[in-house]
């Protein structure tokens, strides 16, 4: 199983699940954004603004949900929009008291730092999302105005969750 994990996870990270309606690890402290989270957010917003869209603003409630999902994937060593207990992105948002008119999620995974900088890792992740039609559609959806992008690192790799919201 572990020999198949990396190829499956990389493939899965580039397959979109455009979910829209109408181990020890490290995560940035609540209220702050890690360098890797910021680098990814900046690149996502660059993709949007170069196409004439507004930059996404950070929503702390959505950030907390995204970060918690990345942390859960890192801790429990899985890669999916749904937790092993079957909890999906919409249930995570609802349990955090988040209401929305549209909501979507992108996830990604990479094996680790391997001497790469935050900027290099962020470029890899965002380029992967932009090369995937469903992920790209989420990033470039003009109805989304806010987002939260959470990252968690563990010995299993680096996990990314970006949630998009229109309220």
């Amino acid at each position: 199983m572990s020999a198949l994990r990396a190829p499956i996870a990389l493939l899965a990270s580039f397959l979109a699940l455009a979910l829209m309606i109408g181990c020890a690890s490290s995560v940035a402290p609540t209220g702050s954004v890690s360098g890797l989270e910021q680098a990814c957010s900046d690149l996502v917003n660059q993709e949007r603004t170069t196409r004439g869209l507004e930059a996404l603003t950070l929503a702390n409630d959505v950030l907390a949900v995204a970060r918690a999902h990345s942390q859960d994937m890192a801790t429990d060593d899985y890669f999916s929009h749904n937790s092993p207990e079957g909890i999906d992105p919409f249930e995570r948002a609802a349990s955090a008291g988040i209401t929305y008119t549209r909501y979507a999620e992108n996830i990604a995974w990479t094996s680790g730092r391997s001497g790469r900088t935050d900027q290099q890792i962020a470029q890899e992740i965002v380029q992967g999302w932009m090369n995937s039609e469903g992920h790209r559609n989420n990033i470039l959806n003009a109805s989304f105005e806010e987002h939260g992008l959470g990252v968690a690192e563990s010995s299993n790799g680096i996990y990314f969750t970006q949630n998009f919201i229109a309220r």
Side-chain angles (χ1 to χ4, degrees):
M1 167 103 175
S2 63
L4 294 175
R5 184 184 182 333
I8 290 170
L10 287 173
L11 176 61
S13 72
F14 298 116
L15 296 174
L17 180 56
L19 298 169
M20 295 189 287
I21 292 178
C23 39
S25 60
S26 64
V27 175
T30 303
S32 68
V33 178
S34 76
L36 190 48
E37 290 169 341
Q38 188 64 58
C40 286
S41 293
D42 290 346
L43 289 172
V44 164
N45 278 330
Q46 182 180 356
E47 294 289 348
R48 287 176 61 89
T49 59
T50 60
R51 290 168 175 83
L53 299 169
E54 293 291 322
L56 297 166
T57 58
L58 177 67
N60 285 321
D61 56 346
V62 179
L63 170 64
V65 170
R67 214 178 252 165
H69 184 56
S70 290
Q71 179 64 57
D72 190 51
M73 290 190 294
T75 300
D76 292 343
D77 191 21
Y78 72 94
F79 180 75
S80 176
H81 290 279
N82 296 340
S83 73
E85 300 78 26
I87 300 169
D88 67 32
F90 308 109
E91 292 170 293
R92 287 191 291 275
S95 70
I98 296 172
T99 57
Y100 52 86
T101 59
R102 182 164 284 207
Y103 196 80
E105 179 176 89
N106 287 351
I107 59 174
W109 174 87
T110 188
S111 60
R113 290 195 170 269
S114 303
R116 297 175 294 163
T117 65
D118 284 352
Q119 189 64 35
Q120 290 169 324
I121 294 168
Q123 287 172 339
E124 172 191 326
I125 295 304
V126 174
Q127 188 61 54
W129 282 337
M130 293 305 292
N131 288 338
S132 161
E133 183 179 358
H135 290 105
R136 183 176 57 253
N137 289 344
N138 287 340
I139 290 170
L140 300 179
N141 187 324
S143 70
F144 293 129
E145 298 172 346
E146 297 176 284
H147 77 124
L149 197 153
V151 176
E153 295 185 53
S154 76
S155 60
N156 302 320
I158 308 172
Y159 297 80
F160 300 78
T161 304
Q162 183 173 28
N163 294 119
F164 303 86
I165 189 166
R167 299 186 200 249

